[in-house]
Amino acid sequence: MSALAQERALGDWLAKGLRCIGQIAIQSGDDGGFVLRHREDRERTGLVVSQRADDAAELARFDDAGNYRPLKTAPTLRHGWKLRLANLAELRLALDLFYPGRLAMFAAFEKDELVTTPLRDTLGRQTGMYRIAAQIREDQTDELVGRFCASNGGCLRTIQWRRDAAGTVPSTQLPPDKFDPRHDQTGGAEPVVPLLCQEACNLLVAEARTVVQANR
Amino acid sequence: MPSDSSSALLIVGHGSTVNPASSAPTLMHAATIRGRGIFADVACCFWKEEPSLRDALFFFRDPGIREVYVVPNFISEGYFTRTVIPRELELAGAETERPNGQLWKYCDPVGAHESMTGHLLERARAIAPGVDESTATLLIVAHGTSLNDNSAVAAKEQAEKIRALERYAAVLNVYMEEPPQVSDWVNLTKTQNVVVVPFFISDGLHSYEDIPALLGIENASTGGESRAHELQGRTLFYSTAIGTDSRFADVIIEQANSFDQRKQVLQSAS
């Protein structure tokens, strides 16, 4: 089986010097393998070593305080670990567990195939308990997205969707670089594989529902 | 039958924003299937976790992948399999052709597979070793009708199938939120030994806390173990959720196989 397109793309990004993704630093080994660790742990010793790509699921599941991380792109990745991976295929699997789906979004973006969905379309599509989320007002949306999606404390994704079909900015409370794929959302100012957000996540939809309910 | 070089598998799970164990079985089954090399690519997506179903629209962009089998890791047909998954994945029906010609095949949920009865029986035997089935009662526990799914109906059907085998003294479908209620197990059963199997995809608050509390178990195991509990003069054997069974990986593969087999039957009949 030939290497999947995703692995080829990942190899290209590494060759271009994109050595960080979210809060993770990617280090290449001499043996064709890779070592992942928290970017803030690069100078740290005594890290607990894991060897399997699937171990990434467990490393990504809880934060430093042991709290469950429902949003994997939240800036709450735990510290103190080092993950050794044998090859590019393993690296792809691990990164897909740390930041699910994000490699595919960047690959689609690079090929100009990333179709984004306006927030109003996402909300308007909902059924069942989330149907009322579409009733959120514009000022409430501006506040919610500005708070919930902020890189500092909310989410490290780079927003690519717009608020509506007219192209309204998702939130006036977010800085312009929140929408720039070249920007390192951690504030580290390093070349990154961006965590592109092509459509509002279910957590944001759920929060919109909560805002609407609170105003009833 | 999926072909290893041109077929991919997408396993769809519910996931949870509060329960870290919710997506674990789906991820575990995906890793198992990936390791077998049956598919060119294996991915998961979730309603309440990442990657989302919407993210999955951008997966499998390798031109060599011509078919994507979509298997819902759900217990039954219902709101999610009929409304949410088709809507979010933009599925037009059983088969959906994407603009690049890739064919997405929407398979039946795992809980609907014919092998489910056997899995429930095996789980029941495994958690109550040495117990004579003909003197024991088997309880299949589902949520009940407060959720928009048919898991209650599915549990009833499984109980009927197992009852027809006449192995257990009695087989009952019981629910958390509607009669016959799991909390009424003492009155519903007459045997000394009672074996309880939750008909759920993953362990979580329901199987770790809610159902044990309804049964009267004070210290339910949360380590994935199953053990016996002495309650009200009876011996109660309580299992983890059926969906945590490693053989569910086989069921997921089987559902992908079944899709093409069913299509062949339909084509030969027409």
Side-chain angles (χ1 to χ4, degrees), chain A residues 1 4-5 54 68 70-72 92-93 100 102 105 113 115 125-128 130 157 198-199 202, chain B residues 16-20 27 31 34 40-41 47-51 54-55 58-59 61-62 79 83 87-88:
Chain A
M1 190 172 70
L4 291 167
D54 288 330
Y68 175 49
L71 180 63
K72 299 295 179 282
R92 177 211 165 195
L93 276 176
R102 296 311 106 197
M105 297 317 121
E113 293 177 358
V115 180
R125 197 180 67 231
Q126 302 302 312
T127 56
Y130 295 112
R157 293 192 195 187
Q198 85 288 3
E199 178 165 357
N202 185 275
Chain B
S16 168
T17 56
V18 292
N19 169 22
L27 292 171
R34 198 176 286 124
D41 198 3
W47 173 232
K48 305 276 273 183
E49 289 183 45
E50 300 155 276
R54 300 295 290 173
D55 289 339
F58 297 91
F59 294 175
R61 291 299 176 99
D62 191 311
Y79 175 62
T83 303
R87 183 190 75 210
E88 298 291 294

Side-chain angles (χ1 to χ4, degrees), chain A residues 133-153:
Chain A
Q135 294 174 20
I136 190 168
R137 297 193 313 261
E138 288 303 303
D139 61 313
Q140 292 171 326
T141 304
D142 198 65
E143 188 281 329
L144 171 64
V145 174
R147 167 172 55 83
F148 196 80
C149 304
S151 294
N152 181 14

